Amino acid sequence: MALPQVAAPPGVRRRRRSWKGWQFVGPFMLVFALVFLAPIAYSIYLSLYKNRLIGGNSFVGLDNYRQALHDSQFWSAFGRVALFLAVQVPIMLVLALLVALAIDSGRLHGKAFFRVTIFLPYAVPAVVATLMWGFMYGSQFGLVGNINDALHTSLPDPLGSRLLLASIGNIVTWEFVGYNMLIFYSALRVVPTSLYESAEIDGAGQFRIVRAIKLPAIRGALVIATIFSVIGSFQLFNEPAILRPLARNVITTGYTPNMYAYSLSFSGQQYNYAATVAIIMGVITMVIAYVVQLRGAREI
Amino acid sequence: MSRMLKVAAAATAAMLALAACGGSKSDDKSGTSSGGGTSAADVTAALNKGGSITVWAWDGTIKDVAAGFEKKYPNVKVNLVNAGTGDKQYTALQNVVAAGKGVPDVAQIEYFAVLQFALSKSLANISSFGATDLKSNYTPGPWNAVTPNGGVYGLPLDSGPMAMFYNKEVFDKYKITVPTTWTEYVDAARKLHKANPKAYLTGDTGDAGFTTSLIWQAGGKPYTVDGTNVTINFADPGSSKFASTWQPMITEKLVASVPPWSDQWFKALGDGTIASLVTGAWMPGNLSSNAAAASGKWRVAPMPQWDAGGSATAENGGSSLGVMDKSANKALAYAFTKYASADEGKDIRIKAGAFPSTTADLSNQAFLDTPFPYFGGQKANEIFAKSAQGVVSGWSYLPFQVYANSIFNDTVGKAYVSSTTLADGLKAWQEQSAKYGSEQGFTVK
Amino acid sequence: MTTAVQPSRRTRPSVIAHKPYRRSKRRSKTLTLLTSLVAIYSLIPLAWLVINATKTQQGLQSSFGLWFANGKFALFDNIRDTFTYQDGVFLRWFANTVLYVVVGAGGATFLATLAGYGLAKFNFPGKRAVFATVIGAVAVPGTALAVPTFLMFSKMGLTNTPWSVIIPSLISPFGLYLMWTFSAQAIPDEMLEAARIDGAGEFRTFFRVSVPLLGPGIVTVLLFTMVATWNNYFLPLIMLKDPNWYPLTIGINSWNDQAATVDGQAVFNLVITGSLLTILPLLAAFLFLQRYWQSGLAAGSVKE
């Protein structure tokens, strides 16, 4: 990696195309190759083979992929995270946006307090967050149970089959609304104030300003937040996995695609098929993230 | 800025060096002995020569056993690692076996998983060390579990003959007679729940061990294994008896749907919301540690029967210690296993509260006379020992039971949260297990 | 310049975060109330954590979730027990976590800063490919990588060592992206030219000239990678088997699972107290370093 240092002769246009940049990018890419590229390559290799308890390893070509396409467990898991995505991501992002706008509006008492407290959940590890909410969701002795006893209500069981996905959605929203709020807020803060001045002169009200100036100005942040949330939803694993002991009959081993791949690997020792599932999910995720990015960049 | 960087770099280097040292130490497998031979004489030689072995076990009593072993044989060092409970350890074991590195010398394996690890040749056959001679030490249930296919793949540690634990105070309050058959049990459940809608005779959210043990007790044989030929049939008489008898418990909501082993569950056991448990003889320790509120209020009774007047029981849980095939020092590993299972280690464990798997201890008068404060002074070991003798023979687990258990709640679990019946749930379990078996190369019927 | 609603990619001058535009507006009580609801939502579980950390194991079982138990106030006992239980393994976990975070997040920040700077300030062959690959990698699920990485690391003898956790955490695509945008804005090309003309080598220029300017960005990336490594769960879960190398997340979860073993002791009160102790350092870091990460995020999010 040690390239001779070349000082640019005076008068030459800056940013000459050279290999110098690799000195800086090199270390990162080296570790990246080890940590991402090599495992992906190995994953692809694994997906083309099949290792059996009786019979050992053998090359099977695209059989695993064919199997995955017909695998109802996989597609129901996929459908589940797609549903999760369609509902939880907009709710969380809209909430984050509203809070960011509120804080930016300058009309809040104690906005620093809100900025910090609403962000705090992000610093809590998913394990702790899920354990906490898990304790609280307990419908007999957890908080829900306590409330039922105290108020003589019969709140629906958050860990029952009807509400479970929503309960997980709640945990994820709780964890990340502050983070997204901060991204939006930071973007709002760099909107030039001169824009607001001219809007005022034109007599625009608050809502008008939001729609016409603020939202378009932070569109980039909105797109990035959406993309990361989409990717995160497809990769949903931590929260359902940690919650599983509390609701074993509802959270199946293949509740989300990532959980499916995990249990294929570690309960069933079916590494090859797990690699296949993971690759398919990765491709789908990349395609959708790309589409979101295109749409976000396109519309005015 | 650059000075700070230098300091940071130095600190980082120091910590990395520390990490590297620590890392290699913990990854150190069995070290110095040759561990070549596989006879009893080699065991003695290995003990004299010394060395170190790695033991993976989560059972709390093994720590004292390891200490005792090291004291007796000062040349030997035991690295005890708790790699997780049950499934977590099996996953880790399978991973290291697959990778070929980091395999421990000795591992704790529950009885239902022994066949799986034996068949995949992860466990070593220790009969050449003289393990077959130990047969008479143990009760039939555990011994059968560790001797699949004619070899010996581990030595029993504890055992779990089943019994019924019940809250006498609750029973007396609602005038419930202690059930002796499963039909009576279901009736008692109805009576209790009717009298107090907040109380349940027992909790059940779907447990593979409980289900298979009850089918076992009913004489069912859903799994037959002959080499790589496997049959799975949950429509056999024993399984059907279980499914039809237990179904009302779910349909009529007579079971508490509190997840077992959770904080809520222990609370419920402690305050009478869950009034009984039918499980293995190892339960008392958990009750007294974690449901202390009900100390003195519970009693033990024999397991409810399928046929009135019978004395058939089954085992639930319990583990063995096995020598891993990839161990570099099998002789020393076997020595530890034998110590823990049949020699002084056994006494250490029993003293610490483990339930024995050895006939001698089970018929020891002092053992039988032990009063249990949690059960109001009752000599519960008498019931447990009798249960151990009544274990139905001929039961077999699958060669991939670990996997099968992992998908139990996906399949049979549906019966607990939807209108699926137990019988249909069991059928789904059967089909998915069969599918996995075929994929893995077994011939499944 | 200021009418551009589409911030362009390349030549924006250094951005200073503006104060929110404020005339003499009336503060709105309604808005404050509504936002308070969100704040309460954010705080309830944390309040639950604090309140329940004061209960004993028995107290947990017998008291109302959101209020204190009638029995003893056990916070200090719980804290003491958390630190001493199982021969003080909690402290070991804490030390492990610190190690993984300092080396992992520190290393990740270092690599991301270097690489971001390289992407922003140099034109080199393969630049487009680098960026596309790295961003594409974000979309790859962790599970696709987990098992192959595990198998690879096993063959290299790295599993069950700190390296197996540290090395994968050295790559932060988000950090790279942030440092790339930050470098592009915060470091004027003219300064670099000046240094080059003076004969300074690239690395010298980087450390002497650029890094001081990248301060807020570096701190932001450091904080976010710290959060990511501190909260890492899935990766250590598969890489580590020896409890002596567990980070806090895995350790606490193992205490939670512990009751489900024969003679296992339920220590949910320690799980709760341990969780509280786990999140305190991060919360403190965020509170005290607010200044930096706010301006860092601000500059970074102008892009796109």
Side-chain angles (χ1 to χ4, degrees), chain B residues 335-361:
Chain B
F336 179 78
T337 308
K338 182 156 174 284
Y339 177 86
S341 166
D343 300 335
E344 294 93 329
K346 163 179 70 87
D347 301 316
I348 296 177
R349 284 187 301 109
I350 295 176
K351 201 146 136 236
F355 191 80
S357 53
T358 36
T359 44
D361 297 287

Side-chain angles (χ1 to χ4, degrees), chain A residues 50-56 67 71 73 134-135 137-142 146 148-149 157 159-161 244-254 260 262-271 273, chain B residues 90-91 94-95 98 116 119-120 198 200 205-206 228 256-260 262-265 267-268 271 273 399-400 402-403 406-410 412-414 416-417 432 435-436 438-442:
Chain A
K50 195 164 183 162
N51 194 357
R52 296 184 166 88
L53 261 181
I54 310 285
Q67 190 183 346
D71 187 351
Q73 263 191 304
F135 276 120
Y137 281 154
S139 59
Q140 287 192 310
F141 290 106
N146 292 152
N148 279 341
D149 290 338
D157 181 9
L159 297 174
S161 46
R244 187 154 186 266
L246 295 179
R248 258 181 218 281
N249 295 325
V250 185
I251 304 183
T252 55
T253 54
Y260 189 44
Y262 179 81
S263 55
L264 280 172
S265 305
F266 295 110
S267 299
Q269 299 291 300
Q270 296 171 294
Y271 295 125
Y273 191 53
Chain B
Y90 303 143
T91 304
Q94 286 166 330
N95 288 341
Q116 170 160 347
L119 209 74
S120 59
K198 286 206 165 166
Y200 300 87
T205 52
T228 57
S257 55
V258 178
S262 65
D263 192 37
Q264 292 191 73
W265 189 68
K267 239 192 253 196
D271 72 8
T273 311
F400 41 92
V402 175
Y403 171 78
S406 76
I407 54 161
F408 180 84
N409 290 93
D410 293 354
V412 186
K414 290 275 159 286
Y416 290 84
V417 289
Q432 232 187 305
K435 184 159 149 249
Y436 178 82
S438 318
E439 260 175 45
Q440 289 297 316
F442 291 95

Side-chain angles (χ1 to χ4, degrees), chain A residues 102-175:
Chain A
I103 297 181
D104 185 57
S105 70
R107 298 180 63 191
L108 275 187
H109 296 274
K111 73 173 177 27
F113 169 76
F114 289 118
R115 216 171 43 222
V116 173
T117 52
I118 297 180
F119 182 72
L120 282 186
Y122 179 68
V124 176
V127 181
V128 173
T130 313
L131 284 179
M132 291 192 307
W133 280 103
F135 276 120
M136 292 198 296
Y137 281 154
S139 59
Q140 287 192 310
F141 290 106
L143 196 57
V144 172
N146 292 152
I147 295 178
N148 279 341
D149 290 338
L151 301 178
H152 298 290
T153 51
S154 183
L155 293 174
D157 181 9
L159 297 174
S161 46
R162 270 182 314 152
L163 283 185
L164 193 81
L165 199 58
S167 303
I168 296 180
N170 174 48
I171 300 180
V172 175
T173 305
W174 181 83
E175 286 172 310

Side-chain angles (χ1 to χ4, degrees), chain C residues 145-185:
Chain C
L145 303 172
V147 174
T149 315
F150 172 78
L151 292 173
M152 266 172 48
F153 278 17
S154 292
K155 299 254 182 301
M156 300 193 284
L158 287 176
T159 49
N160 213 27
T161 67
W163 291 113
S164 62
V165 175
I166 292 176
I167 293 181
S169 47
L170 291 176
I171 298 295
S172 166
F174 176 68
L176 175 69
Y177 176 74
L178 204 66
M179 287 316 297
W180 176 47
T181 59
F182 201 77
S183 301
Q185 295 156 33

Side-chain angles (χ1 to χ4, degrees), chain B residues 3-19:
Chain B
R3 191 160 46 105
M4 257 178 65
L5 275 175
K6 285 209 194 86
V7 171
T12 310
M15 265 187 280
L16 287 177
L18 202 68

Side-chain angles (χ1 to χ4, degrees), chain B residues 390-406:
Chain B
V391 172
V392 174
S393 64
W395 173 266
S396 172
Y397 285 105
L398 283 173
F400 41 92
Q401 193 68 39
V402 175
Y403 171 78
N405 284 4
S406 76

Side-chain angles (χ1 to χ4, degrees), chain A residues 162-191:
Chain A
R162 270 182 314 152
L163 283 185
L164 193 81
L165 199 58
S167 303
I168 296 180
N170 174 48
I171 300 180
V172 175
T173 305
W174 181 83
E175 286 172 310
F176 291 106
V177 74
Y179 170 76
N180 286 301
M181 178 273 290
L182 211 62
I183 291 186
F184 297 149
Y185 177 67
S186 309
L188 281 172
R189 285 222 331 192
V190 295
V191 174

